[in-house]
Amino acid sequence: MYINDVIRQVRSYYPSEYDTDEMYIWCDEVSSMLIVEDRHTYRRMTLPVSDDGSFLLPEGVDMENIVYVISGGTVVNKEDMREYGNRKFYVKGLNGKVVYNPVRRPVSVEVDYLVPYQPIRRVRYHGGVTLDKENSELRIDVCEFIAGDTVRLTMGDETIEQLPVLGIRYDDGYILSVPLGSLDLMTETKSDQGLIVRVVTDLTVCPPPFDSMYTDYILAKINMYQRDMESYNQFMTAFNSRLAAYKRWIISRMPKGEGRFKNWW
């Protein structure tokens, strides 16, 4: 189900004073919980190693997301700087000795990591917009959009509701490429107060019939903030029931890692 369909359902069942952005945040809470706890996705990237032996993790990936670092065909244990690459010896009555373990610096390393959850991107641009109808391009000053986004463009009294962004480049400003002919109906070609908003096209993390947990969770949050705890408990019970059913369903279907004993020979 699309996230916007979830919000439309909620408003149909229970009209409230809470706006779309607040409901997006609550949808993020459900999605991030499922991604982090249950629906794990892993990726492998090859990263270059700098002269000092360090390398940059992929954007948004923290140390807790790292599963393996593979250097020269060897798995490097995940340790902090107190332990990494050193061996310590202790003899009774003497101070501890450290033997540094020099390793050959690799050109690159492979990193296996748990893909972190990416929140719903609520991107909005308000400022100067210039249209190039002949080349089907928009020029703006600041850009947080990415290729593949669908945006809503407003200039004066004219609006295009669904405008796919095919590509973005920089040439003394950000230039967004859109489908040929999609700007032909716009009469204005330049505006200092143009508005471009990303249309949220995100899906729920879980498929039907489990996606109804998003609706239950948002309804529970609304009733919690309205201090209607009886209704809150009812919706949370429905949410937890659907969540438990989803966990049972996904356990037998998600790929599993290799299982083995440690220190057994």
Side-chain angles (χ1 to χ4, degrees):
M1 185 189 302
Y2 286 97
I3 292 294
N4 283 336
D5 289 337
V6 171
I7 293 175
R8 279 191 285 270
Q9 251 185 20
V10 169
R11 287 182 169 152
S12 173
Y13 295 159
Y14 196 96
S16 70
E17 67 274 24
Y18 298 100
D19 62 20
T20 302
D21 281 341
E22 289 170 310
M23 295 187 187
Y24 283 152
I25 293 173
W26 296 334
C27 288
D28 275 335
E29 292 177 8
V30 178
S31 296
S32 60
M33 178 190 65
L34 296 177
I35 290 291
V36 172
E37 296 182 3
D38 302 298
R39 203 175 186 280
H40 298 160
T41 302
Y42 297 93
R43 287 182 186 164
R44 172 174 292 180
M45 290 189 68
T46 300
L47 304 174
V49 178
S50 62
D51 293 338
D52 63 358
S54 63
F55 56 90
L56 294 176
L57 295 176
E59 185 177 358
V61 176
D62 296 320
M63 183 56 68
E64 56 266 27
N65 297 104
I66 300 300
V67 181
Y68 295 116
V69 176
I70 304 171
S71 174
T74 302
V75 176
V76 180
N77 291 330
K78 188 163 65 172
E79 299 172 340
D80 61 29
M81 291 306 297
R82 297 172 299 172
E83 305 292 338
Y84 181 72
N86 302 329
R87 289 178 294 167
K88 296 180 176 63
F89 297 91
Y90 296 93
V91 179
K92 185 176 181 180
L94 300 176
N95 292 331
K97 299 292 183 181
V98 176
V99 177
Y100 295 100
N101 184 18
V103 293
R104 184 177 178 182
R105 184 170 299 160
V107 176
S108 63
V109 295
E110 291 181 320
V111 176
D112 295 348
Y113 64 94
L114 175 66
V115 178
Y117 173 68
Q118 298 294 327
I120 297 170
R121 295 174 46 252
R122 302 185 295 279
V123 184
R124 180 187 182 93
Y125 171 80
H126 188 201
V129 179
T130 303
L131 305 186
D132 181 350
K133 294 184 179 181
E134 183 178 353
N135 296 310
S136 293
E137 293 178 341
L138 313 172
R139 180 183 291 272
I140 59 179
D141 300 322
V142 180
C143 182
E144 297 182 15
F145 303 101
I146 61 175
D149 279 345
T150 299
V151 300
R152 182 174 68 251
L153 169 65
T154 301
M155 295 179 66
D157 296 329
E158 300 175 318
T159 298
I160 300 177
E161 292 291 342
Q162 302 281 337
L163 191 61
V165 178
L166 304 180
I168 300 173
R169 71 181 192 276
Y170 184 83
D171 183 8
D172 195 24
Y174 292 92
I175 300 175
L176 282 59
S177 300
V178 297
L180 290 174
S182 58
L183 303 176
D184 291 348
L185 296 179
M186 300 291 286
T187 56
E188 291 191 46
T189 58
K190 189 171 183 178
S191 173
D192 294 331
Q193 298 297 321
L195 178 63
I196 304 176
V197 180
R198 176 182 180 258
V199 177
V200 173
T201 56
D202 301 56
L203 293 164
T204 58
V205 171
C206 53
F210 311 106
D211 50 5
S212 63
M213 73 173 76
Y214 282 79
T215 304
D216 293 329
Y217 187 81
I218 294 176
L219 290 170
K221 295 287 279 192
I222 291 172
N223 282 277
M224 180 184 74
Y225 289 123
Q226 291 180 342
R227 302 295 189 270
D228 185 352
M229 301 313 294
E230 181 178 352
S231 296
Y232 165 78
N233 289 330
Q234 291 175 351
F235 286 119
M236 282 306 296
T237 299
F239 168 77
N240 289 325
S241 174
R242 187 59 63 185
L243 175 62
Y246 177 66
K247 290 187 177 194
R248 290 193 300 269
W249 178 81
I250 202 171
I251 281 175
S252 62
R253 289 168 174 79
M254 288 295 285
K256 298 177 176 61
E258 176 187 3
R260 61 183 182 273
F261 291 106
K262 283 189 174 183
N263 300 324
W264 180 271
W265 60 88

